[in-house]
Amino acid sequence: MAAQCVLEIFCLEVLNVSIPAGPSGHEQLTPSMRDVLRRMERAARTPMHQLGAAAAKAAYEAGAGVLEIPKQALARVEDLQIPARDGAQLPARLYASLGREETPAAGLPALLYLHGGGFTVGSVATHDQLCRQLAHLAGCMVISLDYRLAPEFQFPIAHNDAWDALQWVAAHGGEWGVDIRRIAVGGDSAGGTLAAVCAIEARNIGLALALQLLIYPGTTAHQDTESHRRYAHGLVLDEPAITWFFAQYITNPADREDWRFAPLLAADVDNVAPAWIGLAECDPLVDEGVEYADKLRMAGVPVELEIYKGVTHEFVKMGRVIAEARQAHAHMAAALRSAFGLA
């Protein structure tokens, strides 16, 4: 028990969150989520947005997996490279519960996964446990992409990398055992933004996707919803962090109005892939997630929306202590299995 507490405190320290007394919305938190935030408060470390990009990346890498469920063993985990339009080779990691020799001749359906981190932090490594769990529970292949990050690579590089990777998987995934007739795209936070935009791009060229799996995606050009005001301070993702992340990625103010950054501004979303959208109730991004679900529904797109009560942004990566994370994993896997036609 003592070792577990030390591990939790280490993780919460590197998340770099401080909590002011009694912020609006804290009364909604589950006991487990409130306990996580108390530990963050006691850690009293320098907030990520004050560290600088390099130190923030290192801090997130150091603690990203500590509150997650144990690493799921899989029959197949392979590191790959995917070419981008400018000749860069993008690292990626393939996960599958079946080995190459066990993979059906038609291949396995595949999810291209795009990690979160405000376009500035995060990697294949920080989302390794989550991708393993999705591959295990859904019985599909998961391909996790290391798209290039700000501030070294600014808008629209992350989008271009994600879209290039999705097209590559659709065209060449059969070489890895992908059933290219059954492909989905998904991600969390900034990765959810990228996934939503990729689904629109796919519609534009006639690439049929089975599903877009969006975990608390950012969808607005500006952080001006009521939930951004209500949850501006004291939770895992706060206003100073959001402002800092986007300042790393967007240097031209006009780019904030580009639908590839803010998919709510897309001219239309008719005929995009069906969506599963999972949101955290106590999250600055919850309102824009609901707005995007409404935009899709009004266009006739099938949408399954889950709002997990009493939890914050990043909760899906806290499955060791947050029960709602494990519920979300099961819901995501069920959505993937249904979209892929898996028994």
Side-chain angles (χ1 to χ4, degrees):
M1 177 65 75
Q4 177 178 344
C5 289
V6 169
L7 194 60
E8 289 180 7
I9 291 170
F10 169 76
C11 175
L12 298 170
E13 286 179 347
V14 297
L15 282 174
N16 299 301
V17 177
S18 61
I19 304 173
S24 173
H26 277 211
E27 67 278 0
Q28 301 166 254
L29 297 172
T30 67
S32 296
M33 193 77 245
R34 189 175 290 113
D35 186 57
V36 166
L37 294 178
R38 287 195 192 105
R39 293 176 184 274
M40 291 179 181
E41 183 178 21
R42 289 200 297 270
R45 298 297 291 260
T46 304
M48 188 178 291
H49 65 274
Q50 295 179 10
L51 290 174
K57 293 178 201 295
Y60 190 69
E61 292 280 338
V66 180
L67 289 184
E68 293 205 66
I69 59 173
K71 184 178 291 189
Q72 175 65 49
L74 294 171
R76 184 180 175 196
V77 178
E78 297 179 15
D79 288 328
L80 311 167
Q81 288 191 323
I82 297 176
R85 66 188 66 185
D86 61 3
Q89 294 293 316
L90 307 175
R93 185 170 296 164
L94 181 156
Y95 304 89
S97 56
L98 298 178
R100 278 184 176 272
E101 66 284 353
E102 303 168 298
T103 299
L108 287 174
L111 167 69
L112 175 67
Y113 193 85
L114 306 167
H115 68 79
F119 307 102
T120 306
V121 305
S123 67
V124 164
T126 63
H127 287 63
D128 183 76
Q129 280 103 316
L130 178 59
C131 289
R132 286 173 178 268
Q133 186 71 351
L134 290 177
H136 168 66
L137 293 177
C140 68
M141 188 179 294
V142 176
I143 299 168
S144 180
L145 179 70
D146 256 335
Y147 57 88
R148 287 172 287 181
L149 298 175
E152 294 83 2
F153 300 96
Q154 296 175 327
F155 178 84
I157 296 299
H159 160 266
N160 292 348
D161 287 353
W163 176 227
D164 291 351
L166 181 59
Q167 292 179 91
W168 180 265
V169 171
H172 302 281
E175 301 167 14
W176 303 332
V178 173
D179 179 352
I180 59 173
R181 300 165 303 173
R182 294 183 291 171
I183 295 173
V185 65
D188 62 294
S189 195
T193 306
L194 295 172
V197 171
C198 281
I200 299 171
E201 296 271 30
R203 184 278 313 268
N204 291 347
I205 68 165
L207 172 59
L209 299 178
L211 187 71
Q212 50 179 318
L213 187 83
L214 311 181
I215 308 166
Y216 33 75
T219 65
T220 58
H222 303 280
Q223 287 62 61
D224 54 6
T225 66
E226 176 56 33
S227 62
H228 275 282
R229 290 185 287 272
R230 184 183 308 120
Y231 303 118
H233 301 285
L235 301 176
V236 172
L237 181 69
D238 61 11
E239 185 279 328
I242 295 170
T243 297
W244 179 75
F245 280 135
F246 289 166
Q248 308 308 299
Y249 186 51
I250 297 284
T251 54
N252 179 0
D255 288 339
R256 293 182 73 96
E257 308 295 330
D258 192 308
W259 67 270
R260 294 171 299 171
F261 173 73
L264 264 173
L265 298 182
D268 74 86
V269 290
D270 297 354
N271 301 312
V272 302
W276 182 93
I277 302 177
L279 307 176
E281 180 187 26
C282 304
D283 182 357
L285 276 59
V286 65
D287 285 355
E288 62 198 83
V290 171
E291 288 182 30
Y292 197 65
D294 289 344
K295 182 181 180 76
L296 293 172
R297 284 172 171 155
M298 290 180 66
V301 177
V303 176
E304 183 178 355
L305 174 64
E306 296 281 354
I307 301 178
Y308 296 91
K309 301 294 185 181
V311 294
T312 72
H313 201 82
E314 192 81 357
F315 83 96
V316 296
K317 295 178 80 285
M318 300 179 183
R320 191 162 61 81
V321 293
I322 302 295
E324 289 77 9
R326 300 188 294 275
Q327 294 169 0
H329 298 166
H331 293 161
M332 287 186 272
L336 287 165
R337 294 184 71 86
S338 176
F340 290 144
L342 298 173

